[in-house]
Amino acid sequence: MVYYFRAEKERMERQRIAEASKGVGKPKVGGKFELVDQDGRKWSSEEEMGGRFSLVYFGFTHCPDICPEELDKMAQMLDIVSVALPPTSASNPTLLPIFITCDPARDTPSVLKTYLQEFHPSMIGLTGTWEQIKAVCKMYRVYFSTPEGVKPGMDYLVDHSIYFYLMDPEGDFVEAIGRTHSAEKAAKIISEHMSDWKGKIKK
C-alpha cells in the first residue's frame, strides 16, 4: 500500500511537470517542420513524430567533445529504455531518437549518415537549409551561433544549447534533459513518462 501511494505520487508529479510544460503564457516548445534525413529523403515531423515519443538533440558533427559525449549518452539511454519498455510490446510507445544539425553548411545527409552510425543504428539525422534550421531551432527555443565571415573550407565551432527535448506522441514538449543527468537517470525519466502515456501510439 505504501509503495502504491509513493508510485502514484511520483506519477502525479511527472504529470504535473508535463502539464506545466504546456502551461498558458509559456512559450511553446516544438512544432511542425520538414527537413531532410540522412538518406536524403524529405522528413516530416508531423508524419514521423506523430504517435511516438521523440528525443530531440541539436548539435553538429564537427563538435570535438560535447556532442559526441551527449550522443554516446543518448545511445545508452535508448538501450536502457528499450529494455525497460520493449518496443516489441504492442502496448509500449516507441522512442524516436533525432539529431538535428545546427551546421547545415557542413552537415550534409551523407555526413550525418556516416557520423551517426558511430553512435546508434536507430538515430535519425536531419539537415536542411540555414533558414529551415534556424526556424526549427526557434521552435525549440534552441540558441545557436556560428562565427561571422567564415569562408568555405575554414574550420569553426558552433555554439549551441545542450539539451535533450522529450516530446510526447501528440507533439507536445514533456521535459528537457540536461548534461547533469546521467544516462541511467535520463532513461528513468523517459521510461516513466512513456509508461504514464494513455493516448494513442504508433509503431
Side-chain angles (χ1 to χ4, degrees):
M1 184 65 73
V2 173
Y3 172 79
Y4 170 79
F5 283 114
R6 184 183 297 122
E8 185 63 12
K9 182 179 180 182
E10 291 174 354
R11 186 193 68 78
M12 292 179 70
E13 176 61 15
R14 291 192 298 273
Q15 185 177 10
R16 184 194 67 77
I17 292 171
E19 290 301 322
S21 301
K22 310 172 191 177
V24 176
K26 287 193 174 186
K28 178 177 170 61
V29 175
K32 298 176 183 178
F33 61 86
E34 290 185 352
L35 292 173
V36 176
D37 70 12
Q38 70 265 46
D39 293 314
R41 296 178 299 210
K42 181 179 176 181
W43 197 93
S44 164
S45 64
E46 185 174 15
E47 293 177 8
E48 302 296 339
M49 295 170 70
R52 300 182 177 98
F53 272 86
S54 303
L55 192 62
V56 184
Y57 182 78
F58 292 79
F60 65 111
T61 65
H62 286 71
C63 180
D65 42 34
I66 294 175
C67 289
E69 290 173 3
E70 293 299 282
L71 289 176
D72 272 334
K73 186 167 75 175
M74 189 182 201
Q76 294 176 52
M77 290 153 57
L78 293 171
D79 289 340
I80 295 170
V81 170
S82 69
V83 171
L85 296 171
T88 51
S89 171
S91 62
N92 287 339
T94 52
L95 181 62
L96 201 63
I98 301 169
F99 175 88
I100 301 178
T101 182
C102 295
D103 185 20
R106 293 183 294 184
D107 287 345
T108 62
S110 61
V111 168
L112 286 175
K113 186 167 186 174
T114 301
Y115 180 72
L116 293 177
Q117 285 173 348
E118 300 294 322
F119 298 101
H120 200 281
S122 66
M123 284 186 186
I124 296 167
L126 299 177
T127 188
T129 65
W130 189 87
E131 289 78 13
Q132 287 175 315
I133 295 299
K134 181 181 179 181
V136 177
C137 285
K138 186 176 181 180
M139 289 179 191
Y140 279 80
R141 303 295 183 261
V142 170
Y143 162 82
F144 80 104
S145 175
T146 54
E148 294 183 4
V150 174
K151 297 179 181 179
M154 288 179 61
D155 193 22
Y156 57 90
L157 297 178
V158 180
D159 190 18
H160 63 90
S161 306
I162 307 168
Y163 287 100
F164 293 101
Y165 297 84
L166 181 62
M167 312 298 291
D168 73 18
E170 293 180 350
D172 289 323
F173 171 66
V174 178
E175 190 164 346
I177 298 171
R179 294 186 69 194
T180 58
H181 290 77
S182 66
E184 293 75 17
K185 184 177 180 181
K188 182 175 184 292
I189 291 170
I190 294 167
S191 297
E192 289 173 343
H193 280 299
M194 291 174 68
S195 296
D196 291 340
W197 182 254
K198 303 301 181 187
K200 293 182 179 180
I201 60 172
K202 180 172 68 175
K203 290 293 182 181

